[in-house]
DNA sequence: GCAAAACATGCAAGAACGTGCACAAACAAA
DNA sequence: TTTGTTTGTGCACGTTCTTGCATGTTTTGC
């Protein structure tokens, strides 16, 4: 059996079942477990699987995967959030849209008959907008970070600095009434801050699981949020805190 | 047994089963393994299979699902060109890749185990590379032109100016031995020129229908082409013109 | 904290490989 | 026919790659 053939079968099984066991593959292929471990190590090195004790699992999906769903099963919620957020748009506006699966859903939900100028550092957002004939699309380039699906770094910041927008759709990692909007990555947070600085208003759309949580890097205070789009199941107490600080609440 | 007949059988078996073993073919044909290896080497050189330890497998682009190719009808030809062009790559290189469907096919054909630095202004190329874990991807942002699928303009030019590359995979609109490489859009041509200026070598891969044609805007002279990847059916007379000007010809 | 399983690493045997060379057959020119 | 050339093939050589095993380490479950 060819090494390449083993790799192919492992990939197939990962795609189909999400995980593989080293021992099981060894007997199936008729080779030693050492060989299987070498295979898995190699696949993991090129990002085609993630190594775990006892075998391997499918890699974390990102960017423009089948339906670019990072959160997995929260897809429907995100699409509902996106539909609600789209109601804030009208022709002639200019927007910043950064990364995250909610923003990817938003981009797909934008009607084709709106005339907008949109700047984004997210590949999946840009791809989703590439067939919107009336959208003037500006890609904010830079070093592409695979885990985020966005571009960050000095080049990205410089590009943002040259632009201004009416609304900034901020993909949020954590959202807390006292700590505000927070992100997991420092470079990502820096880009978000730059976009926030150059925008007249900030829109944050989050699923319930991100409410009242915080990540290490601060992006903007809660008082900077103009529109907050949440699920209908969001706790009223938390929403009240944001409302007190000037946010307008929209239910999906 | 005729050499050509062996090649045909190998191709058939590759199409049917996806892989072949050198030893097995040797006994089946009644020839030495050396001869089989020579056959496989030859087929691999023309992109009809991919050589692996122990035998060969069907070429990469055909193995996985071909999804969003805009090119329409010449898809297979472009995939073959891409397979042949990939042979020019080796780990550690840095590349410019611009737009066009051939380059999109190329990006998809790049093996996952190559460690490359790639800068591109094409959305589809960037998307195709977003799951290559070992590729350092730099997105060249700017105003997105829907018809081209690429970013152009001052911002793009500025981003290109900061970079250098070993090879530039130039998506060509027209290719002529006297007029060189030409493009339909002036802004696009300007970006291509900038990439050409900052690259040590230029690679052009074109289908037959673009050979000996020219578009309005000049990108680079024929003498600037280091590698020219063409179909096997390309007219020898035209190729000779390019070869005389220093281009190395590669057949898909 | 302990035993078992899973793991990474080094190593050696063998398989597969590329290359150069010799030989034979096919072919073209003299 | 004879001679020279080309092409395809097999063999010998040294090289590279894969693989299983032995070793010691890390992780897991109890």
């Amino acid at each position: 059996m060819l090494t390449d053939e083993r790799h192919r079968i492992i990939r197939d099984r990962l795609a189909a079942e999400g995980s593989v066991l080293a021992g099981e593959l060894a007997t199936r292929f008729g080779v030693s477990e050492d060989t299987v471990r070498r295979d898995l190590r190699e696949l993991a090195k090129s990002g085609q699987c993630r190594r775990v004790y006892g075998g391997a699992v499918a890699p974390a999906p990102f960017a423009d995967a089948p339906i670019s769903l990072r959160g997995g099963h929260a897809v429907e919620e995100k699409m509902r959030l996106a539909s609600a957020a789209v109601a804030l748009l009208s022709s002639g506006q200019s927007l910043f849209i950064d990364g995250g699966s909610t923003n990817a859903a938003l981009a797909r939900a934008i009607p084709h008959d709106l005339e907008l100028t949109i700047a984004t550092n997210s590949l999946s957002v840009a791809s989703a907008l590439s067939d919107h004939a009336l959208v003037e699309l500006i890609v904010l380039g830079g070093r592409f970070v695979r885990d985020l699906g966005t571009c960050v770094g000095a080049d990205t910041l410089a590009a943002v600095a040259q632009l201004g927008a009416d609304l900034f759709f901020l993909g949020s990692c954590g959202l807390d009434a006292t700590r505000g909007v927070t992100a997991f990555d420092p470079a990502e947070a820096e880009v978000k801050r730059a976009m926030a600085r150059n925008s007249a208003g900030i829109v944050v759309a989050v699923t319930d699981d991100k409410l009242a949580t915080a990540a290490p890097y601060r992006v903007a205070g809660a008082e900077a949020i103009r529109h907050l789009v949440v699920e209908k199941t969001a706790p009223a107490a938390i929403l009240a805190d944001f409302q007190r600080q000037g946010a307008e609440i929209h239910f999906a």
Side-chain angles (χ1 to χ4, degrees), chain A:
Chain A
M1 153 141 344
L2 264 43
T3 305
D4 204 78
E5 202 167 350
R6 288 200 309 272
H7 287 196
R8 191 178 51 74
I9 293 175
I10 293 173
R11 272 195 300 265
D12 287 350
R13 182 163 285 213
L14 276 171
E17 304 178 20
S19 66
V20 292
L21 298 173
E24 184 207 345
L25 289 175
T27 49
R28 186 182 196 286
F29 293 149
V31 297
S32 74
E33 294 199 17
D34 301 70
T35 302
V36 173
R37 274 194 281 272
R38 261 185 278 254
D39 289 338
L40 296 180
R41 221 179 302 164
E42 203 164 336
L43 287 174
K45 191 182 171 190
S46 58
Q48 301 183 69
C49 74
R50 198 163 50 82
R51 200 72 174 74
V52 294
Y53 200 85
V57 296
F62 37 65
D64 205 8
I67 335 176
S68 96
L69 38 102
R70 184 159 20 182
H73 65 312
V75 184
E76 285 197 13
E77 285 82 351
K78 285 170 182 178
M79 286 173 72
R80 269 200 295 275
L81 287 177
S83 302
V86 160
L88 299 171
L89 300 178
S90 59
S91 271
Q93 286 178 326
S94 57
L95 316 175
F96 278 126
I97 304 181
D98 80 325
S101 49
T102 307
N103 274 345
L106 171 79
R108 262 186 291 276
I110 291 177
H112 281 64
D113 58 352
L114 281 182
E115 195 176 328
L116 300 165
T117 302
I118 300 181
T120 184
N121 65 330
S122 156
L123 258 194
S124 23
V125 169
S127 295
L129 293 173
S130 64
D131 63 342
H132 284 58
L134 299 181
V135 169
E136 164 85 5
L137 178 59
I138 296 161
V139 177
L140 303 164
R143 181 170 55 86
F144 180 75
V145 180
R146 201 153 279 110
D147 294 338
L148 304 172
T150 57
C151 295
V152 299
D155 294 335
T156 317
L157 291 172
V160 173
Q162 293 184 348
L163 298 168
D166 300 316
L167 289 178
F168 169 25
F169 287 83
L170 199 173
S172 168
C173 300
L175 190 58
D176 183 276
T178 59
R179 299 195 51 189
V181 182
T182 47
F184 283 113
D185 184 277
E188 182 191 20
E190 203 168 358
V191 173
K192 286 173 191 285
R193 277 197 291 269
M195 288 182 173
R197 205 160 38 232
N198 292 3
S199 307
I202 296 180
V203 184
V204 178
V206 290
T207 46
D208 288 356
D209 59 317
K210 284 178 185 166
L211 272 176
T213 66
Y217 297 95
R218 180 185 169 89
V219 174
E223 77 285 352
I225 301 174
R226 183 192 294 181
H227 298 282
L228 180 59
V229 184
V230 295
E231 303 179 60
K232 277 196 276 287
T233 52
I238 298 178
L239 298 182
D241 285 342
F242 287 101
Q243 212 159 10
R244 235 189 320 275
Q245 297 186 64
E248 193 175 315
I249 312 290
H250 305 265
F251 291 100

